[in-house]
Amino acid sequence: MPKDAPRRWDRRMQQRLAHGEAAALGELYDRFASLVHGLAHRVLGDESAADRITREVFGHVWENPDAYDPRQGPLRSWIATLTHQRAVHRLRQTESAALARGGEGTKEDLERKVRRASAAARADYIVTAMPTPLRAALELAYFQRRDYRQTAADLGVTEDEARRRLRLGLQLLSTANDPGTTPGATARTHDTSPGPGATL
C-alpha cells in the first residue's frame, strides 16, 4: 500500500462525513469503535460509561467533521484524542461528584487516579498504534521474557535491529506518563517507521 494511502482515506472520509453520508459514519464506526470503546473503558473502568463515550465521540465526529485537520495527523489519532479527553473529563466529573457526596479520599487522590487512568490509556494506545515490528519486539521481550538476542532470532532480524526496535518501542511507551500528551498527540510526534533491515 502506498505510504500516503491512509491519509487519502482520512481526507476522503472527512469529505464524505461533511456531505452527510451516513454510510461513511458506519464505515468509520466499524473501523474505530473498538479503539474508542477500549480507550474509554481503560480510563473509566465501566462498560456502560465506555458505551456512552463511544456514542458521544462518533456523534461529535458526525456533527463536526471539519474539526479534523488532516495536516495535523491521522484521523485515528484525532479520534483517539477526542476519546481520551472526554473519558478523562467524565472520570474527573464522576470522582468529584463522589467526593462531594462524602465519598472516601481527597482531591489529591482523585487527581492521582485520573493520572493513572490517563497514563494507562495512553500506553494502550501507543502499543496498538505503533508499527507491527516494534510491537512484536516488545511483546517478545516483555511478555515472553526474551532477551534481545532471542528476540532477534524469533523475528529473523539482526541483533542491532532488535535492539533498535526495543529502544524505539520503550521510548514511545515512556511518553505515556507525560500528562501533557494525549494518545493521538503521542503517535503524531514520534517517528516509529522501521529502519533498514526491518521486516514488516
Side-chain angles (χ1 to χ4, degrees), residues 2 22 39 43 45 47 64 71 77 83 88 93 108 110 114 120 133 139 146-147 150 153 165 182 186 190 195 198:
L39 283 174
V43 172
E47 191 74 20
N64 304 278
R71 294 170 299 181
S77 296
T83 304
V88 168
Q93 278 186 325
E108 289 75 20
L110 183 156
V114 169
E139 288 172 351
R146 299 281 204 270
D147 64 23
Q150 292 168 323
R165 293 185 190 185
T182 57
T186 300
H190 289 80

Side-chain angles (χ1 to χ4, degrees), residues 4 6-7 10-11 14 65-81 125 182-190:
D4 193 44
R7 294 296 176 89
D10 290 349
R11 288 192 292 268
Q14 182 188 36
D66 291 336
Y68 167 61
D69 183 355
R71 294 170 299 181
Q72 297 300 311
L75 186 57
R76 173 190 173 95
S77 296
W78 181 62
I79 289 173
T81 298
Y125 180 81
T182 57
T186 300
R188 286 196 299 271
T189 56
H190 289 80

Side-chain angles (χ1 to χ4, degrees), residues 1 5-10 13 16 24-36 58 75-76 79:
M1 179 181 293
R7 294 296 176 89
R8 287 200 300 271
W9 186 90
D10 290 349
M13 176 57 68
R16 292 170 64 194
L25 181 62
E27 187 177 331
L28 192 75
Y29 184 89
D30 288 343
R31 179 170 290 206
F32 295 125
S34 61
L35 167 69
V36 171
F58 284 99
L75 186 57
R76 173 190 173 95
I79 289 173

Side-chain angles (χ1 to χ4, degrees), residues 95-113 116:
E95 294 297 319
S96 295
L99 280 180
R101 292 193 302 268
E104 295 182 1
T106 65
K107 288 184 178 179
E108 289 75 20
D109 293 332
L110 183 156
E111 287 304 316
R112 278 194 292 271
K113 181 173 183 177
R116 284 196 302 268

Side-chain angles (χ1 to χ4, degrees), residues 3-189:
K3 186 174 182 180
D4 193 44
R7 294 296 176 89
R8 287 200 300 271
W9 186 90
D10 290 349
R11 288 192 292 268
R12 179 60 182 150
M13 176 57 68
Q14 182 188 36
Q15 292 166 358
R16 292 170 64 194
L17 291 168
H19 286 110
E21 188 180 326
L25 181 62
E27 187 177 331
L28 192 75
Y29 184 89
D30 288 343
R31 179 170 290 206
F32 295 125
S34 61
L35 167 69
V36 171
H37 191 276
L39 283 174
H41 193 277
R42 193 72 166 100
V43 172
L44 297 166
D46 180 87
E47 191 74 20
S48 61
D51 288 342
R52 286 193 295 274
I53 292 293
T54 302
R55 289 192 296 270
E56 289 177 12
V57 167
F58 284 99
H60 178 84
V61 173
W62 174 246
E63 293 169 4
N64 304 278
D66 291 336
Y68 167 61
D69 183 355
R71 294 170 299 181
Q72 297 300 311
L75 186 57
R76 173 190 173 95
S77 296
W78 181 62
I79 289 173
T81 298
L82 287 175
T83 304
H84 185 263
Q85 291 170 343
R86 285 175 179 261
V88 168
H89 179 68
R90 178 67 54 82
L91 178 63
R92 186 171 278 114
Q93 278 186 325
T94 302
E95 294 297 319
S96 295
L99 280 180
R101 292 193 302 268
E104 295 182 1
T106 65
K107 288 184 178 179
E108 289 75 20
D109 293 332
L110 183 156
E111 287 304 316
R112 278 194 292 271
K113 181 173 183 177
V114 169
R115 285 195 297 271
R116 284 196 302 268
S118 184
R122 285 194 295 270
D124 281 359
Y125 180 81
I126 290 166
V127 171
T128 60
M130 68 175 55
T132 301
L134 303 190
R135 186 168 62 251
L138 285 177
E139 288 172 351
L140 285 168
Y142 294 97
F143 295 108
Q144 299 185 34
R145 305 297 187 193
R146 299 281 204 270
D147 64 23
Y148 75 90
R149 291 187 179 89
Q150 292 168 323
T151 296
D154 288 345
L155 295 176
V157 298
T158 66
E159 292 179 4
D160 284 344
E161 175 62 16
R163 281 195 296 265
R164 191 194 69 83
R165 293 185 190 185
L166 290 170
R167 184 174 62 252
L168 282 174
L170 290 172
Q171 286 173 349
L172 284 172
L173 278 177
S174 71
T175 66
N177 290 312
D178 179 0
T181 64
T182 57
T186 300
R188 286 196 299 271
T189 56

